[in-house]
Amino acid sequence: VCLICQETVAVYKEFNVKRHYQSRHSTYDKLTGHDRSEKLKQLEAVLMSQQKFFIRARESNENATRASYEVATLIAKNCKSFAEGDFIKECVMKMVENICPEKKQEFANICLARNTVARRIEEISSDIKRQLTSKGVDFDFFSIACDESTDLSDTAQLLIFMRGVDDEMNVTEELLDLQSLTDQTRGKDLFVSVSSAIDDMKLPWNKVTGIITDGTPAMAGERSVLSTLICNKAIKLHCIIHQQVLCAKHLKYDHVMKLVLKTINFIRSKALCHRQFKQFLLDIQAEYEDVLYHNDVRWLSRGSALQVSTLRKEIGEFLETKGQPMRELSDPIWLADLGFLVDITKHLNVLNTSLQGKDAAVNQLYSHLKAFGTKLQLFIRQLSQTQPNTIHFSALQEIMNSFPQDNISAQTSRYAADIASLAGEFKRRFQDFAAIEKDLPFSVDLDYAPDQLQLELIELHCDSELRSRHQQLSLVNFYRQLDKSRFQEIRTLAKKMLSLFGSTYMCEKTFSAMNFNKNRVRTRLSDSHLRDILRIKTTAFEPDIAYVLQSRSQF
């Protein structure tokens, strides 16, 4: 481009440029030295200002597009409807009008229409899947967690999470896929869906170390079920949280729970009665403002329902006014059973909460179970004494103090027997996790260890410095610092153990997000869009928007 007249030379050669200058701009030969240099700078500045006009316009469009991707990501992460984009833009425009009206046009260029937000979410989900596929190439081992639930439109949704470990002991836990099943959900049907997800991500089957499920007949078993069809050599586990909940149900105490639920249902089933009860609690300034429904599916629900123990006096007074007296509230034995159930449920709920969470290794989860088993043995010893020690059973202790004339302490031997039965149930159910713990480096018996591990284990056990590191560091960091050449087999075993899921917590958490997204007003949300939303909601990857924009510019 000619700096003087801004015309373009047809063929960029020295002769053509020289002829153009001599025929059009020979008068500039009069300028020499400093004047000529200054004139050249002025002409260059004029040309650059003209070009920057188009550059600024392009950058403004790119910034607007980038902003729409960022907002679409937030919409998906916060489980909002695609149509929320228009409302967000309306709010932003109102703020711009009052704060910086001169930039109104720049913000108006940001497109947040419903269809645009849907496309943005699709592209962001594809980018996250691309990053996961790239990351999966580096996995030495991986395992999967599967769970199935039915959404509001009666479609069976199979969630598949993967947990992979690379050579540097970096653990990646991501949503592999959401498979929508419109027909039966037999073991072979689930296997086809899982196989499709693994093959689509280009993950090698020989790197599968295990599968964990919720223990349903189609998921677990010895015949044609998902866990058996996946890989006969893989470790098959039943979700540690589901098993803990099943163990908690071993303590039935139906004579207590049925009456508690009957009382709650009486109070809450009728709107007038419920309003009067809440106002009654408010008037007397009770500790709680209401009683909660019990939901057998929710893990911590029983503990919430049993808060009636704290409100037993208030509930008794209210029921008297309604002509529905509850005689059990004056029975010290029944109240003692209620207090014991409240306390043991509280301990079980603390365990349940400690087992929840993302990126938890199997050994970490099992350590919580071992600690709880030790607590149960302590409870048994304390309650079996001639003078029972109820220091860890505050509700029971409060009942015993309220009825000192009654021989409630005689019931503690029965409670100790119930706890012993509960401890036996825990021991029976968690044998698979106990077997995995024996493979940990300082827990394994050398005589029963695999031949290829024995020499390395001896080296490890006799190294006092490594023993000290094992006490100080987390297990992942300890394995990460082991010498690759000296402890090659131990590191391989460690990667297999670290790749295992301990629970289906991420599946359960994602199902909650699924139900929040596909609700009564969004029943027509497509399965593909639901998968995209859940992938963005659960991922630890940051969307590479620059890559997405570059990919769009190539088409």
Side-chain angles (χ1 to χ4, degrees), residues 253-263 306 308-309 312 315 326-342 396 399 403 408 411 414-415:
Y253 276 66
D254 288 340
H255 67 290
V256 175
M257 280 304 300
K258 286 182 179 178
L259 196 55
V260 168
L261 299 182
K262 180 181 177 181
T263 303
L306 286 171
V308 299
S309 173
R312 63 182 184 276
I315 290 175
M326 187 175 176
R327 299 182 182 87
E328 286 80 4
L329 292 177
S330 58
D331 180 1
I333 303 301
W334 187 88
L335 288 174
D337 289 348
L338 173 63
F340 170 73
L341 186 60
V342 168
L396 176 60
I399 296 295
F403 298 89
I408 299 179
Q411 303 296 320
R414 176 165 60 89
Y415 301 148

Side-chain angles (χ1 to χ4, degrees), residues 27-73:
T27 55
Y28 281 85
D29 287 337
K30 299 176 182 178
L31 298 174
T32 58
H34 178 72
D35 294 338
R36 191 178 183 89
S37 300
E38 288 297 322
K39 188 63 176 178
L40 178 61
K41 290 179 181 180
Q42 292 176 8
L43 294 172
E44 286 179 345
V46 171
L47 180 63
M48 290 298 295
S49 65
Q50 294 174 350
Q51 292 178 339
K52 283 182 179 179
F53 174 82
F54 297 101
I55 294 173
R56 282 196 299 269
R58 187 180 72 247
E59 289 178 349
S60 178
N61 290 333
E62 289 182 354
N63 291 337
T65 306
R66 180 185 295 274
S68 69
Y69 276 103
E70 296 282 5
V71 173
T73 303

Side-chain angles (χ1 to χ4, degrees), residues 411-447:
Q411 303 296 320
T412 56
S413 58
R414 176 165 60 89
Y415 301 148
D418 291 337
I419 294 176
S421 176
L422 179 64
E425 183 71 7
F426 267 88
K427 186 176 181 180
R428 181 184 70 83
R429 280 197 170 273
F430 292 101
Q431 293 177 0
D432 47 356
F433 286 91
I436 291 177
E437 192 204 20
K438 294 179 181 178
D439 292 332
L440 297 176
F442 290 103
S443 303
V444 66
D445 188 336
L446 292 174
D447 294 331

Side-chain angles (χ1 to χ4, degrees), residues 376-546:
L376 292 180
Q377 297 303 320
L378 174 65
F379 298 158
I380 294 170
R381 292 194 300 270
Q382 290 179 337
L383 295 177
S384 300
Q385 297 172 3
T386 307
Q387 295 293 328
N389 183 355
T390 57
I391 187 64
H392 302 297
F393 292 82
S394 57
L396 176 60
Q397 190 175 50
E398 192 264 330
I399 296 295
M400 294 174 67
N401 294 336
S402 300
F403 298 89
Q405 70 279 10
D406 296 281
N407 190 20
I408 299 179
S409 59
Q411 303 296 320
T412 56
S413 58
R414 176 165 60 89
Y415 301 148
D418 291 337
I419 294 176
S421 176
L422 179 64
E425 183 71 7
F426 267 88
K427 186 176 181 180
R428 181 184 70 83
R429 280 197 170 273
F430 292 101
Q431 293 177 0
D432 47 356
F433 286 91
I436 291 177
E437 192 204 20
K438 294 179 181 178
D439 292 332
L440 297 176
F442 290 103
S443 303
V444 66
D445 188 336
L446 292 174
D447 294 331
Y448 297 98
D451 296 339
Q452 68 272 20
L453 283 176
Q454 291 175 338
L455 298 182
E456 291 186 10
L457 285 171
I458 292 173
E459 290 278 345
L460 185 65
H461 288 186
C462 296
D463 194 319
S464 58
E465 183 180 351
L466 290 178
R467 278 185 170 276
S468 176
R469 287 185 191 174
H470 183 259
Q471 297 294 328
Q472 297 172 359
L473 301 173
S474 66
L475 197 62
V476 175
N477 288 330
F478 171 74
Y479 286 136
R480 192 174 286 149
Q481 292 189 5
L482 287 180
D483 185 87
K484 293 183 180 181
S485 58
R486 184 182 175 191
F487 299 105
Q488 182 178 355
E489 294 296 333
I490 291 179
R491 282 176 57 88
T492 300
L493 176 64
K495 284 184 281 190
K496 289 182 179 180
M497 293 299 104
L498 289 175
S499 68
L500 292 175
F501 278 99
S503 72
T504 57
Y505 168 79
M506 284 305 299
C507 294
E508 299 294 343
K509 184 179 179 180
T510 307
F511 278 136
S512 297
M514 178 190 78
N515 293 330
F516 194 82
N517 277 282
K518 199 164 186 178
N519 51 41
R520 288 179 296 175
V521 296
R522 297 183 72 191
T523 54
R524 297 187 65 185
L525 182 68
S526 68
D527 294 329
S528 60
H529 281 153
L530 179 62
R531 180 179 61 247
D532 294 334
I533 292 171
L534 296 182
R535 191 187 297 279
I536 296 172
K537 172 72 175 176
T538 59
T539 188
F541 291 122
E542 286 294 329
D544 191 350
I545 296 178

Side-chain angles (χ1 to χ4, degrees), residues 344-381:
I344 196 66
T345 301
K346 178 181 177 182
H347 292 301
L348 287 165
N349 283 355
V350 170
L351 172 62
N352 187 287
T353 303
S354 66
L355 296 177
Q356 298 179 32
K358 187 180 179 182
D359 297 326
V362 173
N363 69 293
Q364 294 173 324
L365 298 177
Y366 188 65
S367 66
H368 293 301
L369 284 175
K370 289 198 301 180
F372 186 73
T374 305
K375 291 178 185 178
L376 292 180
Q377 297 303 320
L378 174 65
F379 298 158
I380 294 170
R381 292 194 300 270

